[in-house]
Amino acid sequence: MDVSSLQSRYLDSCKKHEVLPNSAVLSWFYKAEIQKSELGKCSIKFFLNQLCNADIYPLIDVFLAIDSSDVDAVDILHESPCNFNEEYVMPLLQTINLKLRVVDLHDMSPEENFLQNLCHHGLACHILNMRSTHIQKLNMAGTFMQLHTLNLDFCTSIGSLDKDCFSCMPSLMRLSMCETRVANLWTTTAALSKLPSLVELRFQNCLCCKDTGPCPASFGDKARIAFEKLGSAPLNMCLSSETSSISIRDATFQGFHAKENCGDLLSLTGSALIKEGSGKFDNLSHISKVEISSCLQRVGSIEISSDFPPNLNGLSNLENKITDKEEILARAHMWDLKNGRPTSLKNYISHHPSPICFEKHYREYMVALLPRLEVLDNFSITKMDREMGRTIFSKYYEYLPYKRQNKQSVVTVLQKREMGTTGASCPNFSKFKQSCHYGKSPCHFSRSLTAAKLGSAAWPLLHPLHTFSHIYKEGSKRLRARQFEYHPSDSRLMVYGTLDGEVVVINHESGKLVGYVPSANNMNSVLGLCWLKKYPSKLLAGSDNGCLKLFDISHIPPIVSDVNCSAGVVTFDDFDQLTSVHVNSGDDQFLASGYSKDVALYDIFSGKRLHLFTNMHREPINVVKFAHHSPFLFATSSFDHDVKLWDLRQKPQWPCYTASSSSGNVMVCFSPDDRYLLVSAVDNEVKQLLAVDGRLHMDFKIASTGSAHNYTRSYYINGSDYIISGSCDENVVRICCTQTGRRLRDFYLEDVESGNSLFVQSLRGDPFRLFHMSVLTASKRPCSKWEIIKVNLLASSHGTEEHSHGQNIRSTFLGG
């Protein structure tokens, strides 16, 4: 069927449906006929904004015959607001199967129902351009078998990629997502790794580039090819395409033509000279031939597996060699030691970036985790980029917890355990048993099983406590949590205090209420909570107006009521403006601190205040914490930038030592084995100190936001193996290894109902379950909403079969 036959079919259909032919549609057929006669091929472009409702059914009749016609391609375009119902668009698009080439909905701003339909069912097009403010979590799980280019630029509401997103896009080669809200490196790379053909990706763009390909203003590729022809293998290690294009890119952004700025690229001689017409590369002749040769040999000796994932064997040796490599590149003015990235990217002017672009080592992370990628953000990925990406990844990130290098299924781990302990027959069994013996330590198997589970759950299970606890006050008002603590010996129990002064004990596994203490007249927001270890039914609570009480939960009724039960309640002298309480390891004394420079010591049995230690800091004390195993040692943290360790046996007049942060301290706590102090200062300054003398053991180097009000809190999980850290101006929780400082995972918090960000107010690791925790969150708009969210990093949010509570393993087996 030729174009004229399609036009006749359209006219006949118009008569059938009793509508007038659209002159715009007739003109499209006419242009296609001319194109066919002149070029032998033709494509028809349909503009949605020139159609009306009456045109839809005649066009559907035409589209049903297009696949069998001699029309080579059909483009559906949109340039201005539509004059017909949006509900007709999907039936129109789905009518064409083989010949649909371009679908451009950039200026259409489709509604949510249309987008859900499109994402769920898919399209047969080759190129899809779409812009919408209605998509928050992208889940294009429909069939897009022919799609090779997807443009989602300026979809400003997209904040994350769903697990099954891109699962049916085997041909997708180019993806652009500039100026979205995508921020999570971990879930983003997990989703993108499902695209087997993806070679070009961008979350930000070069000013002169309209597509995802490499910037045409860069001559880096030519330089690389020239040096490869010269056979200069060591140079390939040091010369990136981005490095070669620094001045040219700068000039391009200023409106000049690249060809006017290209200087002569001279070959490297013994003096190691790289020269460009703009003079931006320095003469390296002061480095001798011997030094250059020695340095390049050290660079070339770095053993990094080319296989994915990054090889983490011999980490300590690798990190030393990483430093050597970075230093050599820095001396060649190709590496920025301060920021840990190529110098060219330092001068790269980002346009329309998504938040993910501001993550530290963003480019290196993406290059390492997406090995098939060839172009990122309009910059070609060179051999040196890939090697440096793997190097940076190995230095700053953990692929899997506990130094596990390869993803394994839970079944595989269980099989290896059985083979390693029962002696089941298999080829070369003795050698196999030596390589993966599961009797190395009491926790070796549990750690391997944990790594397998975490590796298969890029999207952790987030479970708001109120969704299954169903505890409400009169009038269906939700309780607003302000502070919480896990029980130290009963894995089922959790206590939380509210903004209104209530104390609530719940079974956080079943959601059942265990005990409820209504707010008394003298109880304000509960800021301090602490369980007693030797008396597991007792807990201490303190409110911001200074009220201090000891409760026995065996005497507290499990009902929400205004009746105040006084049985088993001990009241202590007030401590004004209280912010923190903590009981010592002997359960006989506790400390209280507040918005003052003083700390009070109380006797739990007599109910009396024993001492008031004054002027312990120069500014108010935020937190006071006893050691876990000594009833005398305690630490204080203050906004005066200092953390101090004290000993009650010395009648605290002088601290054992003082350690300082660069900003005000928000939080301090001991590791479960008391070997370390974890100190959290304003705006993500998180450090681990040796508890014995206060020396710095680990700086976690979390990026700051620049806010003086971004109060950061950090705690240990999995015993002393990892830390979790969050801040009140951010909706992200970070997990880092305590021994290497490397980042294992970030996860982001959003309200399920509204999609708004939830900001971290406090957080605790579950003392009984590996990689389980709870996070106290608050939303800022439209109204303040406080709630506790349980997090399970070992289960996926997309599989209900994985909604288990994990391994019931005590923290005493997790250290080291």
Side-chain angles (χ1 to χ4, degrees):
M1 182 179 292
D2 57 17
V3 178
S4 60
S5 299
L6 290 175
Q7 183 173 344
S8 299
R9 186 183 179 99
Y10 170 69
L11 293 173
D12 292 341
S13 184
C14 287
K15 290 180 182 179
K16 176 182 174 182
H17 291 93
E18 298 181 347
V19 298
L20 293 175
N22 188 322
S23 59
V25 175
L26 294 175
S27 70
W28 301 334
F29 287 125
Y30 177 70
K31 291 178 182 177
E33 278 190 282
I34 295 175
Q35 190 181 44
K36 183 71 174 178
S37 63
E38 292 179 351
L39 303 176
K41 293 183 178 181
C42 72
S43 62
I44 304 179
K45 296 183 179 180
F46 292 88
F47 293 87
L48 295 178
N49 54 290
Q50 297 184 32
L51 301 177
C52 60
N53 291 337
D55 298 320
I56 299 303
Y57 291 109
L59 280 179
I60 287 178
D61 287 343
V62 172
F63 287 175
L64 287 171
I66 274 196
D67 283 341
S68 59
S69 71
D70 60 359
V71 173
D72 296 289
V74 175
D75 298 339
I76 306 295
L77 310 175
H78 189 273
E79 294 181 338
S80 59
C82 283
N83 297 318
F84 65 95
N85 291 336
E86 198 175 85
E87 63 187 40
Y88 293 129
V89 177
M90 273 306 293
L92 201 64
L93 295 175
Q94 291 175 333
T95 307
I96 312 172
N97 291 317
L98 302 177
K99 303 293 180 70
L100 188 60
R101 182 175 61 183
V102 178
V103 175
D104 191 338
L105 306 176
H106 249 159
D107 297 313
M108 184 174 172
S109 298
E111 294 298 326
E112 188 171 2
N113 291 337
F114 169 82
L115 294 169
Q116 289 178 349
N117 195 9
L118 186 150
C119 293
H120 179 71
H121 294 287
L123 283 178
C125 62
H126 294 249
I127 300 172
L128 176 60
N129 299 323
M130 187 168 62
R131 179 183 301 176
S132 172
T133 58
H134 299 287
I135 313 173
Q136 291 185 339
K137 182 177 287 187
L138 187 64
N139 184 18
M140 300 185 72
T143 303
F144 296 86
M145 302 302 290
Q146 300 183 87
L147 188 67
H148 62 71
T149 301
L150 176 61
N151 188 319
L152 297 171
D153 291 346
F154 307 106
C155 289
T156 52
S157 59
I158 295 180
S160 61
L161 306 181
D162 200 72
K163 179 183 179 182
D164 295 323
C165 187
F166 311 135
S167 59
C168 292
M169 296 184 184
S171 303
L172 188 67
M173 300 176 64
R174 303 169 193 89
L175 174 63
S176 185
M177 297 186 67
C178 300
E179 205 162 307
T180 63
R181 291 196 302 116
V182 174
N184 193 326
L185 283 172
W186 285 262
T187 56
T188 300
T189 51
L192 294 174
S193 64
K194 299 178 184 293
L195 295 169
S197 304
L198 185 67
V199 292
E200 295 179 4
L201 171 70
R202 69 177 186 182
F203 287 97
Q204 58 189 341
N205 68 289
C206 169
L207 184 61
C208 64
C209 297
K210 294 184 179 181
D211 58 23
T212 57
C215 177
S218 171
F219 66 92
D221 289 339
K222 295 180 181 179
R224 175 172 52 80
I225 293 170
F227 279 108
E228 286 177 352
K229 288 181 178 179
L230 290 173
S232 179
L235 181 63
N236 290 337
M237 302 282 290
C238 296
L239 181 62
S240 72
S241 64
E242 292 85 1
T243 301
S244 307
S245 63
I246 297 176
S247 63
I248 292 182
R249 183 166 297 283
D250 290 343
T252 302
F253 289 140
Q254 295 169 15
F256 296 108
H257 296 291
K259 62 182 181 180
E260 296 174 0
N261 294 275
C262 293
D264 295 324
L265 184 64
L266 304 181
S267 61
L268 270 180
T269 63
S271 61
L273 173 66
I274 301 177
K275 186 177 181 182
E276 196 179 30
S278 59
K280 289 207 171 184
F281 287 100
D282 295 332
N283 192 328
L284 306 179
S285 57
H286 61 282
I287 306 175
S288 68
K289 286 185 179 181
V290 176
E291 189 176 0
I292 283 283
S293 175
S294 172
C295 290
L296 290 176
Q297 285 176 8
R298 282 190 292 158
V299 174
S301 67
I302 298 178
E303 296 179 2
I304 303 173
S305 171
S306 59
D307 299 328
F308 178 80
N311 188 350
L312 304 183
N313 281 327
L315 178 64
S316 59
N317 294 332
L318 175 62
E319 288 181 352
N320 293 333
K321 293 176 180 179
I322 289 170
T323 303
D324 291 340
K325 181 172 185 178
E326 291 174 352
E327 286 177 353
I328 290 306
L329 293 174
R331 297 190 74 169
H333 300 276
M334 299 173 189
W335 193 258
D336 179 10
L337 283 175
K338 181 179 179 181
N339 297 308
R341 59 192 307 115
T343 53
S344 59
L345 296 185
K346 212 174 145 185
N347 296 311
Y348 175 67
I349 301 176
S350 176
H351 293 272
H352 310 298
S354 295
I356 194 172
C357 303
F358 299 103
E359 288 290 325
K360 194 172 183 180
H361 306 301
Y362 148 74
R363 181 174 176 85
E364 292 78 21
Y365 187 97
M366 301 292 282
V367 169
L369 270 292
L370 300 173
R372 291 183 292 268
L373 209 59
E374 296 179 4
V375 181
L376 178 61
D377 299 334
N378 298 126
F379 272 88
S380 294
I381 297 172
T382 65
K383 185 177 179 181
M384 179 267 186
D385 291 330
R386 296 190 191 283
E387 187 170 351
M388 187 54 71
R390 290 192 294 267
T391 303
I392 293 297
F393 184 92
S394 296
K395 182 176 182 180
Y396 295 105
Y397 298 96
E398 277 194 352
Y399 182 62
L400 290 171
Y402 297 114
K403 299 183 180 180
R404 300 309 191 261
Q405 300 173 31
N406 300 300
K407 283 187 178 181
Q408 292 180 311
S409 68
V410 173
V411 173
T412 301
V413 174
L414 293 174
Q415 287 175 341
K416 287 185 177 181
R417 182 190 66 166
E418 293 304 313
M419 296 174 72
T421 55
T422 62
S425 59
C426 73
N428 302 319
F429 176 72
S430 59
K431 186 181 293 186
F432 170 81
K433 189 172 179 180
Q434 291 176 4
S435 63
C436 60
H437 180 53
Y438 277 81
K440 292 180 181 178
S441 68
C443 56
H444 185 88
F445 163 70
S446 65
R447 288 177 172 178
S448 295
L449 191 60
T450 296
K453 288 185 174 182
L454 189 141
S456 62
W459 290 260
L461 175 62
L462 306 181
H463 204 173
L465 198 61
H466 79 269
T467 60
F468 64 95
S469 62
H470 303 298
I471 302 172
Y472 297 95
K473 296 190 289 185
E474 186 178 345
S476 299
K477 292 182 178 179
R478 189 181 295 175
L479 298 172
R480 299 183 300 160
R482 179 57 185 87
Q483 189 59 276
F484 73 97
E485 294 288 347
Y486 284 101
H487 196 284
S489 58
D490 190 333
S491 64
R492 303 166 300 169
L493 297 185
M494 174 190 289
V495 61
Y496 66 87
T498 72
L499 289 166
D500 301 314
E502 299 120 326
V503 176
V504 185
V505 181
I506 65 167
N507 182 327
H508 65 89
E509 294 179 355
S510 66
K512 292 182 179 179
L513 180 66
V514 176
Y516 175 83
V517 180
S519 177
N521 293 331
N522 56 350
M523 284 286 281
N524 286 9
S525 180
V526 177
L527 298 182
L529 290 168
C530 190
W531 292 95
L532 274 63
K533 301 173 188 65
K534 295 182 179 179
Y535 307 95
S537 66
K538 296 185 177 182
L539 66 93
L540 181 68
S543 62
D544 58 3
N545 68 343
C547 182
L548 281 163
K549 292 187 178 184
L550 183 71
F551 297 101
D552 190 329
I553 62 173
S554 61
H555 297 292
I556 300 175
I559 56 173
V560 178
S561 164
D562 291 332
V563 179
N564 224 321
C565 179
S566 59
V569 179
V570 179
T571 302
F572 300 90
D573 293 341
D574 288 357
F575 188 91
D576 291 339
Q577 297 180 300
L578 181 143
T579 58
S580 170
V581 296
H582 202 239
V583 180
N584 70 356
S585 60
D587 278 353
D588 57 347
Q589 296 177 339
F590 74 88
L591 292 166
S593 67
Y595 198 72
S596 70
K597 304 172 186 178
D598 309 332
V599 171
L601 178 68
Y602 292 82
D603 183 271
I604 288 180
F605 297 114
S606 67
K608 294 181 179 179
R609 179 190 290 177
L610 300 178
H611 298 285
L612 180 66
F613 306 116
T614 59
N615 295 317
M616 301 187 81
H617 282 267
R618 290 167 288 131
E619 291 189 30
I621 299 169
N622 289 312
V623 170
V624 58
K625 291 285 184 181
F626 270 112
H628 292 284
H629 303 286
S630 169
F632 309 108
L633 295 176
F634 68 94
T636 55
S637 67
S638 168
F639 275 133
D640 65 3
H641 297 202
D642 290 341
V643 168
K644 298 182 180 183
L645 185 76
W646 308 85
D647 191 335
L648 288 174
R649 293 167 295 190
Q650 298 178 359
K651 295 183 180 180
Q653 296 178 348
W654 305 103
C656 300
Y657 62 77
T658 299
S660 297
S661 304
S662 63
S663 55
N665 291 306
V666 180
M667 182 70 212
V668 65
C669 66
F670 286 85
S671 63
D673 56 11
D674 286 342
R675 292 179 61 191
Y676 306 109
L677 280 176
L678 184 61
V679 181
S680 306
V682 172
D683 204 18
N684 295 324
E685 184 181 348
V686 182
K687 297 179 180 179
Q688 183 172 254
L689 312 179
L690 293 173
V692 66
D693 56 12
R695 283 181 297 151
L696 178 66
H697 175 262
M698 181 62 61
D699 183 351
F700 294 97
K701 297 181 179 179
I702 300 174
S704 62
T705 65
S707 170
H709 305 287
N710 190 32
Y711 301 115
T712 302
R713 294 170 176 84
S714 307
Y715 282 87
Y716 287 96
I717 61 168
N718 295 21
S720 303
D721 297 340
Y722 289 86
I723 67 156
I724 51 176
S725 182
S727 302
C728 67
D729 280 351
E730 297 179 271
N731 68 328
V732 58
V733 174
R734 303 171 175 94
I735 301 103
C736 301
C737 176
T738 57
Q739 297 306 306
T740 64
R742 295 187 294 171
R743 190 86 61 85
L744 173 65
R745 182 72 59 86
D746 290 358
F747 63 87
Y748 287 74
L749 300 162
E750 290 185 347
D751 182 32
V752 177
E753 298 170 0
S754 66
N756 293 330
S757 295
L758 296 175
F759 300 92
V760 180
Q761 306 303 306
S762 190
L763 67 174
R764 301 287 189 279
D766 189 324
F768 300 95
R769 300 170 180 88
L770 294 167
F771 290 114
H772 285 59
M773 67 199 76
S774 291
V775 184
L776 176 63
T777 64
S779 61
K780 293 185 177 179
R781 57 182 186 273
C783 59
S784 180
K785 176 181 177 182
W786 294 68
E787 64 178 338
I788 297 172
I789 297 179
K790 294 182 64 178
V791 181
N792 180 359
L793 292 177
L794 306 185
S796 172
S797 60
H798 297 82
T800 55
E801 73 280 0
E802 296 177 289
H803 290 192
S804 63
H805 288 285
Q807 300 161 272
N808 214 6
I809 301 173
R810 293 299 303 271
S811 61
T812 50
F813 298 105
L814 302 177

